[in-house]
Amino acid sequence: MTLLTVTVEILPSGLLPVMSADLGVSESAIGLLVSAWALTIAIVGIPLVRLTIRVPRTPLLAACLIVIAAANLLTATASGLALALAGRIVAATAHGLFWALVVSSVASVITAERLGRALAIVLAGPTLAGLAGLPAAAALASVVGWRAVFTGLSVVLVLTAGVLWLILPQVPSALPTRGGAWDRSASRVIAVAIAGGLVLVGHFAVFTYLTALVTRLGGLPSAAIPLMLLVFGMSGAVGIAGSGADNANADETALAEGCASGTTNYPSQPQFNCLSVTLDGSGEKVVLRQGQSGASGFGYLHALLDHNVEQQTIEHTVSINTGGYAQPNGRYLYGAYYKNEDGDVVINFELIQERGPGGDSPDPYELGVVTAYCRDSASAPTRACPQWVNDSL
């Protein structure tokens, strides 16, 4: 599905000559269909995520694909640049929300040990779009026309949305975030995001007008465009492949160290033994220790015996959240809404993570999950979870 949406995103880059001739505008004007897409995502992405935070993930993903398909069809039938641009802006709006959801949605249905591989497959979509999707679309457009290519992609997107609706589990929505202390790691995340954004600006400044560069500056015929797009895509694939192996090994090592570096074997203090490590939507590791119940309870046994929260409920809730949000006491809150089969009973589920060693912790590693519980509403007292919450996963 990421292959399809990114192919739609970059499609005008491979069709500049034919689209400009058909719509009666310059090739630089057609380039606006790509730059407007990127600008729209930058503006509406975060607000849309916050507005839809209570909507279940699976139908929302499917809805995003349907909106992209409909807007793409609007571009395909446009008689002028203005209507084509309107279609692109609407599609980009849904695409921004789609990409904000897709990683956390994958994390919610994949076990932690397989998460790295699953995300690699999902994130291969943009590479495949440049490697195969765009060259194939450009070649096909020379035979059936650019409008038919846009229309065909819309049909495939609708079919994909239907398949997602049928095969993906119904992932509950995450709780909206509340204000908290500034996370010290945020500055590093922001720096990386800015650097990545600048790289992408430079990349797409060239990529958007690649076909014009090939034909005008390179002196190659229009028939060479699909081949040049293929070469461009293959170059990107080689770069990703060169870094992917190291990243995969790093992911596996990080998961192993989460339960191996001084957190797995305390014969005299088994409550600190590590049971599992779950990655949340931002890649943050959340440790679940064996724990103990009672007045000084923490960890899994506390969650299970005192609040009837099973392990899969803890891990699932972590996986569908992005980073947790900081509390005044320095801990982090992860949450979700759970509905019963009839959809008429909503339970607020929350768990608290401590990212530093606890006062009684025998090692320098984080205590991890401190507690997990249910509420009947955001302001209600904590209580034991009904069994249907655990059974719903």
Side-chain angles (χ1 to χ4, degrees):
M1 58 183 175
T2 55
L3 164 63
L4 292 173
T5 61
V6 176
T7 298
V8 171
E9 176 185 0
I10 62 178
L11 190 54
S13 301
L15 305 175
L16 287 180
V18 293
M19 290 185 70
S20 65
D22 192 4
L23 295 176
V25 296
S26 65
E27 292 183 358
S28 60
I30 297 299
L32 290 175
L33 299 180
V34 177
S35 55
W37 182 293
L39 183 61
T40 300
I41 290 177
I43 294 174
V44 308
I46 294 177
L48 273 180
V49 171
R50 298 188 67 85
L51 286 173
T52 59
I53 195 72
R54 297 177 183 269
V55 181
R57 306 291 90 176
T58 298
L60 189 55
L61 276 173
C64 287
L65 293 182
I66 292 174
V67 171
I68 294 172
N72 199 51
L73 191 60
L74 178 62
T75 299
T77 58
S79 57
L81 180 63
L83 194 57
L85 185 59
R88 294 287 292 177
I89 291 174
V90 174
T93 301
H95 190 235
L97 179 58
F98 171 83
W99 269 102
L101 297 172
V102 69
V103 172
S104 60
S105 297
V106 169
S108 69
V109 297
I110 299 294
T111 58
E113 61 271 14
R114 296 183 179 178
L115 183 59
R117 181 175 298 179
L119 291 179
I121 293 173
V122 171
L123 298 177
T127 302
L128 291 175
L131 180 61
L134 186 59
L140 191 60
S142 65
V143 178
V144 300
W146 71 270
R147 295 180 187 271
V149 172
F150 270 78
T151 302
L153 280 171
S154 293
V155 172
V156 177
L157 282 168
V158 171
L159 294 176
T160 303
V163 171
L164 288 182
W165 182 278
L166 293 175
I167 67 173
L168 286 183
Q170 296 299 310
V171 179
S173 58
L175 284 173
T177 59
R178 298 190 291 245
W182 171 260
D183 188 338
R184 287 177 295 179
S185 66
S187 59
R188 295 191 295 271
V189 173
I190 293 172
V192 171
I194 292 174
L198 292 174
V199 170
L200 288 175
V201 167
H203 169 82
F204 279 103
V206 175
F207 183 77
T208 301
Y209 299 101
L210 182 63
T211 55
L213 294 173
V214 167
T215 54
R216 294 184 181 181
L217 295 183
L220 297 176
S222 297
I225 290 176
L227 178 60
M228 291 298 100
L229 292 173
L230 178 62
V231 171
F232 195 95
M234 290 180 65
S235 300
V238 170
I240 292 175
S243 62
D246 288 341
N247 288 340
N249 291 336
D251 287 344
E252 293 175 3
T253 300
L255 281 173
E257 288 180 351
C259 269
S261 299
T263 65
T264 57
N265 186 19
Y266 294 102
S268 62
Q269 295 177 290
Q271 67 269 27
F272 294 105
N273 289 349
C274 178
L275 296 181
S276 68
V277 176
T278 305
L279 296 180
D280 66 20
S282 68
E284 178 73 34
K285 294 190 298 179
V286 177
V287 176
L288 178 61
R289 295 180 186 255
Q290 177 178 314
Q292 60 189 16
S293 64
S296 59
F298 73 93
Y300 179 53
L301 288 182
H302 167 61
L304 179 65
L305 299 179
D306 301 337
H307 296 140
N308 193 39
V309 179
E310 297 178 1
Q311 183 172 346
Q312 75 270 15
T313 309
I314 293 173
E315 294 173 347
H316 179 77
T317 303
V318 168
S319 68
I320 65 172
N321 280 263
T322 304
Y325 47 98
Q327 303 299 288
N329 60 5
R331 293 177 173 178
Y332 288 77
L333 177 66
Y334 290 83
Y337 293 108
Y338 286 92
K339 293 183 179 182
N340 67 358
E341 293 181 355
D342 297 327
D344 56 1
V345 177
V346 177
I347 290 292
N348 290 260
F349 180 87
E350 299 179 8
L351 69 89
I352 304 295
Q353 174 207 16
E354 187 170 289
R355 294 186 182 174
D360 297 325
S361 178
D363 60 47
Y365 299 93
E366 66 177 69
L367 187 59
V369 174
V370 179
T371 187
Y373 48 81
C374 286
R375 299 177 187 265
D376 291 317
S377 69
S379 58
T382 64
R383 72 175 181 92
C385 292
Q387 186 56 36
W388 62 260
V389 171
N390 298 306
D391 294 342
S392 65
L393 303 178

